[in-house]
Amino acid sequence: MKTKLITREGYNKLKAEHDYLWHERRPEVTKIVTWAAGLGDRSENADYTFNKRLLRQIDRRVRFLRKFLPEVTIVDYSPQQEGKVFFGAWVEIENDAGDTKKFRIVGPEEIYGDAKEYISIDSPMARALLKKEVDDEFVVHTPEGEKEWFINAISYERPSSS
C-alpha cells in the first residue's frame, strides 16, 4: 500500500494541476468537442475523436485528484528533524566506488513527471535512510543484493546546484 504523505510543494503542485485541468484545459477541450460534434458525421471526424479521448483523460485525472488530495497528509518541515533523514529531506549519499546520488524523499505521487531527483518514501533506499545522520553507513537491499552507502549531507531546503 502506498504511503499517503505528501510535501507541501507536492500538494500545491497537484492542486494547481487540478485547478488548471478543471478551470482552463477542460473548458477549452469541451468547446472543441462541441464545435467538432456540430460538423456532422462523428465517426470520421478526427477533431471530435481525439478531443473526446482527451476529455476522458482529463476527467479521469480530475477524478483521481479530487479523491486523492483530501486523503493525503501534508508533511511540513519541523526543527526536530534537523540532522536526521525524514520525509521531505534532501539527501546526498556516496558508495565506496565514489558514486554519489542526490535526491529528495517524497510521497509516491510526487515522483512522476519532471521530478527526476525525487524518490518515494516507500522505496527500499528511502526506508534504509530513515532516521540516519550524516556520516552514517547504511545498507539497501536491492534485487542485485545488498548495497552499502554512506550519507554525505542532509538538508530540508533544496541544495544549490554545484
Side-chain angles (χ1 to χ4, degrees):
M1 188 174 115
K2 287 185 179 179
T3 303
K4 298 236 177 178
L5 299 176
I6 196 165
T7 61
R8 172 80 49 197
E9 299 90 337
Y11 182 88
N12 291 343
K13 191 173 180 183
L14 290 177
K15 178 79 173 86
E17 178 188 355
H18 169 273
D19 293 347
Y20 166 74
L21 288 173
W22 186 249
H23 297 292
E24 294 177 41
R25 190 71 180 122
R26 192 178 192 286
E28 289 170 5
V29 175
T30 303
K31 279 183 197 162
I32 296 169
V33 168
T34 304
W35 167 80
L39 297 177
D41 184 9
R42 295 177 186 174
S43 63
E44 294 180 18
N45 185 331
D47 280 325
Y48 178 82
T49 308
F50 173 81
N51 286 290
K52 192 72 176 163
R53 184 179 312 124
L54 185 57
L55 197 57
R56 280 193 302 273
Q57 290 169 349
I58 291 168
D59 287 346
R60 192 168 30 253
R61 183 66 178 165
V62 166
R63 269 193 313 277
F64 167 78
L65 291 170
R66 285 187 174 171
K67 186 175 185 298
F68 176 77
L69 290 172
E71 292 178 352
V72 292
T73 302
I74 299 171
V75 178
D76 288 312
Y77 168 75
S78 165
Q80 294 108 302
Q81 294 172 269
E82 203 55 51
K84 290 192 176 196
V85 178
F86 290 104
F87 187 84
W90 288 93
V91 184
E92 180 184 304
I93 61 173
E94 187 174 348
N95 65 14
D96 288 337
D99 300 325
T100 61
K101 296 182 182 294
K102 295 177 187 175
F103 48 79
R104 186 176 192 198
I105 299 173
V106 298
E109 293 304 325
E110 296 179 78
I111 62 171
Y112 302 105
D114 59 354
K116 305 267 185 283
E117 56 201 0
Y118 290 174
I119 66 168
S120 170
I121 185 74
D122 296 331
S123 70
M125 176 68 80
R127 292 289 183 202
L129 274 163
L130 288 178
K131 299 181 183 169
K132 301 287 190 292
E133 300 178 32
V134 171
D135 294 331
D136 280 357
E137 288 190 23
F138 66 99
V139 173
V140 180
H141 302 282
T142 70
E144 296 88 43
E146 294 185 343
K147 307 276 187 198
E148 200 168 286
W149 294 86
F150 56 92
I151 301 172
N152 287 340
I154 302 167
S155 171
Y156 285 89
E157 292 181 14
R158 179 186 285 270
S160 57
S161 299
S162 50

